[in-house]
Each structure stands twice: as C-alpha cells, then as structure tokens.
C-alpha cells in the first residue's frame, strides 16, 4: 500500500549549502524594514547611482517583434551598436555577427562564461575586494575560487597559478575601490594568461565611471584577436538602467559559439522590447547619462576628501561611485560597525566582510542614491563612529 511506504524527502543539491546570500542585499533588506517602520535612514549601501532618465516610449518600435523572443545572440541592431561602442572603448574590432552576445545583465554573462570554461576542480583567481557573485558563481560551476588579499598586487598573481588554474577575473574599473588597471598591469595579465593557457575575464561593468579627461583601458585593447580575453559589460551602471537587465559579453567567435548554448538553454534572449528600445535610442541615452556619471564620480571623490580630512583612509581609486573606507583604529569588525552605524546613526553601509576575508577592516560607502547634504551627514557619521569605537 502507498501509505505504508516510508516517506523519503527529496534533497536539493548540496552545492547550494556552500553558497551564501549576497551580504549587501541582506543589509539593504534590513534598511527597507527600518524605513517601513518609519526610520529615516541615509542609504550609502545601495550599489546604484540614480540618474534622471526619461520614461521610455516604445512608439515607433516594430510592434510585431517587440513582444516576442528575439535572436539569442541579441537583436542585430543592438549588437551592431554595442560592437561599435566596444570598439570605440577598446580600439579592438568586434564582429557584431559572431563576437558579441547580449544577455540579461553582466551577472548572467559572467556566469555563462564561467560555466563554459570550467571543469570541476579548476581554479579561478579572484582578487579581493571581490564582487560577491564571483566566488559563488565559480562554486556553482563546481570549481574552486582562489582569493588574493586586497594588498596583493596583480603583478604577484603569477605565484597563485597552479596546474588547475583556468582563469583570472578582474573587475576594471573596480567596485568598490574605483581602481583602474594600468596598461602595463593589463599587459602583465595577458602575458600570464599566455604563459599558462589561462582565460582572462574582464568585468568592465563600470567603464564609463572614469573621471573627466581620463581614458579607460579595456582588456581587449591588448588582446584584439580575443585569444583568451572575455569582456563582460552591462548597461546597468554605465547607463543607470540596472532593472532593464541588459548586459553583454565579447569573446572570440569559437568560444562564443559554445557560450551561446548556455544562453539558449537558460534565458533564450535578452529582454526583446528593451533591446529594441536601446538599439533605437542608444546614443541619446548615453548622452543623457554621461554628464550624470561625471557628476557622481566628482561627488564620490569629494566625499573621499571629506573622509580623508577626518582621518579616514580609503583604498586607492577614482573611477566609481563607491568608497572602500578603512575602519582604522575602530575596535569593531565590519559587520558590527555597519550594524552600530545603522542603529546609532541611521546610516547604512555595506560591511567589508562580504568582499573577502582580507576586507573585514573596511566598509563600502556608495554615493549614488542620496543628496549632497545627506551624503555629508552619512560620511561624517562613519568618521564619528570610528572615533567613538576606538
Ligand atoms: N559586476 C560588478 C562588479 C557589479 O558590481 C555588478 C552589479 O552590482 C555586476 C557585475 C552585475 O551587473 P548587472 O548584472 O546588472 O549587469
């Protein structure tokens, strides 16, 4: 009889037991709860810069196409626009037909690249402060993340290479420090990749955030044939439209023809209606967001100076809207510091612990979602709490 058989509950993959929730998302959820309870919180924890972007009108787009699946490599006109854009950034030619894949945000692009490259047990070098999803995406591919501490420079990565090393991931410009890799550093990474047969995954999701008058150097510039470089990029931060979920990946044609299989089995295509909109309005959206990006970078660098005046150091960098601030002489670790700051001063920052084991003496401050006056109050509270907890 059916009822007499013992119940045998099904079990999800043990792989997920080793995967953690994103710490920044957990913290922001706590902030939403406090705000709902009526508390005014200065939010320096959101990984977004809020831009003034007009409400899109889909008027004039091909009505018979926009509601449906589209080409899994990306809507052709958007691929052409992105290929030209990428070419302008990196001076390397990009073939819109074969070397670019438009997908649902760069998070998906990085995940697809890792899944396409990694065998179980392969190692991937990830510098700290790391973006939270890198190690867990590597683990999801049943491979092993190898973290380097924040004080280790890219020139030292050679010592980390083992026979199992398959790839290096760099985020350039870097969330959360704003550090940019120099042309020499990129050349060194390409040399390392060539010597050991590694892939170089360059996450360039913040490449528009360079200060006025400065030039961003893309990893593709030194590997125009795309021997081992995979560039992942996104409209989320560079265009201020993270909710649209549009990102892209550039790689050599033969590798891309493998990666595309994952796209086809996972998401089919990037959001069609938004891809058509972006293709049609590519230049005007960029024209509107670029000056706003310049302003938020200037604000960030101003807040950095304000912290420095109060004796708070930040890790070096200038191309972002984040500050990665040292807790200096505070006795608190980064989780306790972020908690105390929220409870005592009503200011939300992200604990450095989420950015790797070497980063527990830092907190991340984002300047993209608050007014200047509230930012000054927020960063001043960080400096004050460091003094109070010495
Ligand atoms: N890469 C980095 C370093 C990020 O900080 C983020 C988002 O916070 C992403 C990639 C993912 O962006 P998206 O998936 O929205 O393109």
């Amino acid at each position: 009889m059916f009822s007499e058989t013992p119940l045998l509950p099904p079990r999800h993959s043990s792989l997920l037991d080793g995967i953690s929730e994103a710490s920044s998302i957990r913290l922001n959820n706590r902030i939403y709860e406090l705000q709902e309870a009526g508390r005014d919180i200065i939010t320096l924890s959101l990984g977004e810069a809020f831009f003034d972007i007009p409400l899109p009108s889909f008027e004039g787009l091909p009505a018979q196409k926009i509601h449906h699946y589209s080409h899994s490599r990306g809507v052709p006109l958007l691929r052409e626009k992105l290929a030209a854009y990428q070419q302008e950034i990196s001076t390397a030619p990009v073939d819109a037909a074969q070397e670019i894949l438009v997908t649902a945000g760069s998070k998906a692009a990085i995940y697809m690249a890792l899944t396409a490259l990694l065998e179980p047990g392969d190692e991937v070098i990830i510098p700290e402060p790391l973006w939270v999803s890198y190690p867990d995406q590597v683990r999801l591919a049943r491979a092993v993340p190898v973290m380097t501490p924040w004080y280790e420079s890219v020139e030292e990565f050679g010592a980390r290479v083992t026979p199992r090393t398959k790839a290096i991931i760099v985020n350039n410009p870097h969330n959360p420090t704003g550090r940019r890799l120099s042309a020499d550093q990129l050349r060194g990474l390409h040399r390392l990749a060539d010597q050991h047969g590694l892939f170089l995954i360059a996450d360039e999701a913040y490449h528009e955030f360079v200060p006025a008058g400065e030039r961003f150097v893309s990893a593709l510039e030194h590997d125009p044939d795309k021997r081992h470089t995979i560039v992942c990029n996104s409209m989320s931060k560079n265009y201020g439209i993270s909710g649209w979920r549009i990102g892209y990946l550039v790689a050599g044609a033969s590798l891309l023809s493998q990666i595309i299989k994952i796209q086809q089995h996972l998401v089919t295509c990037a959001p069609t209606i938004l891809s058509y909109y972006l293709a049609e309005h590519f230049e005007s959206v960029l024209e509107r967001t670029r000056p706003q990006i310049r302003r938020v970078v200037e604000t960030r660098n101003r807040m950095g100076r304000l912290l420095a005046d109060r004796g708070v150091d930040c890790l070096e960098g200038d191309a972002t809207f984040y500050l990665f601030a040292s807790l200096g002489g505070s006795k608190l670790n980064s989780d306790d510091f972020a908690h105390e700051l929220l409870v005592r001063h009503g200011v939300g920052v992200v604990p450095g612990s989420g950015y790797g084991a070497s980063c527990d003496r830092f907190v991340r401050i984002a300047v993209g979602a608050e007014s200047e006056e509230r930012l000054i109050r927020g960063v001043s509270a960080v400096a004050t709490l460091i003094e109070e907890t010495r």
Side-chain angles (χ1 to χ4, degrees):
M1 277 284 290
F2 222 35
S3 57
E4 282 165 18
T5 41
L7 288 176
L8 194 57
R11 172 96 181 91
H12 67 70
S13 164
S14 59
L15 190 62
L16 292 174
D17 297 332
I19 306 291
S20 41
E21 271 188 85
S23 56
S24 49
I25 295 178
R26 202 172 49 227
L27 188 112
N28 282 315
N29 285 343
R30 174 83 187 109
I31 291 176
Y32 296 138
E33 284 161 20
L34 286 169
Q35 285 170 331
E36 253 161 55
R39 185 99 196 258
D40 177 30
I41 305 294
I42 297 181
T43 309
L44 309 182
S45 48
L46 271 188
E48 294 214 66
F50 290 159
F51 297 145
D52 165 28
I53 296 169
L55 201 60
S57 157
F58 299 113
E59 210 64 38
L61 298 182
Q64 67 288 10
K65 290 184 178 165
I66 56 175
H67 300 300
H68 305 288
Y69 297 130
S70 48
H71 198 299
S72 60
R73 282 180 187 266
V75 166
L77 181 60
L78 182 57
R79 264 186 284 146
E80 277 167 33
K81 295 268 169 103
L82 285 171
Y85 178 61
Q86 188 61 45
Q87 202 156 316
E88 197 185 298
I89 302 160
S90 54
T91 66
V94 175
D95 178 352
Q98 298 190 74
E99 294 182 331
I100 192 159
L101 171 65
V102 185
T103 185
S106 59
K107 195 176 271 195
I110 300 163
Y111 181 69
M112 288 194 275
L114 288 168
T115 310
L117 306 183
L118 297 174
E119 305 283 352
D122 278 351
E123 294 172 4
V124 180
I125 296 175
I126 303 176
E128 293 178 0
L130 47 79
W131 181 51
V132 283
S133 291
Y134 298 147
D136 281 337
Q137 289 198 348
V138 168
R139 290 185 189 105
L140 284 170
R142 298 185 189 269
V144 182
V146 175
M147 273 65 99
T148 66
W150 67 265
Y151 43 82
E152 190 169 311
S153 69
V154 295
E155 287 82 357
E156 297 171 85
F157 286 179
R160 299 276 173 183
V161 176
T162 75
R164 297 309 310 253
T165 309
K166 185 55 102 39
I168 300 173
I169 303 184
V170 288
N171 177 212
N172 183 38
H174 183 237
N175 163 14
T177 63
R179 188 196 58 228
R180 284 175 280 149
L181 291 172
S182 68
D184 274 352
Q185 287 176 317
L186 283 167
R187 267 193 288 271
L189 287 171
H190 285 301
R191 214 173 306 120
L192 199 63
D194 277 331
Q195 277 164 358
H196 298 278
L198 311 179
F199 288 98
L200 179 62
I201 302 176
D203 173 357
E204 299 182 352
Y206 294 88
H207 83 267
E208 287 282 348
F209 285 79
V210 294
E214 301 277 332
R215 184 176 168 268
F216 167 70
V217 184
S218 164
L220 269 189
E221 194 163 324
H222 302 289
D223 181 16
D225 299 331
K226 306 163 198 80
R227 290 190 308 280
H228 53 238
T229 305
I230 301 168
V231 162
C232 298
N233 206 329
S234 161
M235 322 324 285
S236 291
K237 317 287 163 151
N238 288 325
Y239 278 61
I241 48 174
S242 56
W244 289 32
R245 309 309 301 133
I246 299 194
Y248 64 95
L249 178 151
V250 177
S254 88
L255 177 61
L256 206 132
S257 67
Q258 298 297 327
I259 297 175
I260 185 100
K261 296 178 196 168
I262 307 175
Q263 164 103 325
Q264 289 174 358
H265 291 299
L266 205 62
V267 292
T268 305
C269 59
T272 304
I273 186 167
L274 300 174
S275 296
Y276 271 98
Y277 179 91
L278 205 53
E280 207 54 51
H281 302 274
F282 198 85
E283 295 78 12
S284 61
V285 179
L286 198 53
E287 259 167 42
R288 192 157 178 124
T289 51
R290 268 188 178 147
Q292 301 186 67
I293 287 177
R294 294 283 169 270
R295 278 199 291 279
V296 79
V297 170
E298 282 163 19
T299 303
R300 179 266 184 201
N301 292 332
R302 250 193 334 275
M303 294 303 137
R305 287 194 288 278
L306 206 148
L307 282 170
D309 288 346
R310 295 278 310 263
V312 179
D313 293 329
C314 295
L315 287 191
E316 213 176 307
D318 59 7
T320 185
F321 55 90
Y322 303 116
L323 291 151
F324 206 50
S326 166
L327 296 182
S330 169
K331 289 198 181 68
L332 302 181
N333 65 27
S334 63
D335 285 283
D336 292 343
F337 187 91
H339 177 77
E340 285 299 306
L341 192 69
L342 192 56
V343 173
R344 277 201 226 176
H345 294 274
V347 177
V349 294
V350 181
S353 57
Y355 296 80
S358 70
C359 299
D360 200 21
R361 302 294 310 153
F362 296 89
V363 289
R364 189 189 77 172
I365 297 169
V367 308
E370 292 284 8
S371 67
E372 180 97 3
E373 182 265 323
R374 284 169 66 84
L375 285 175
I376 293 172
R377 270 169 45 202
V379 297
S380 303
V382 171
T384 302
L385 188 62
I386 292 174
E387 286 158 13
E388 285 171 356
T389 55
R390 257 197 253 277

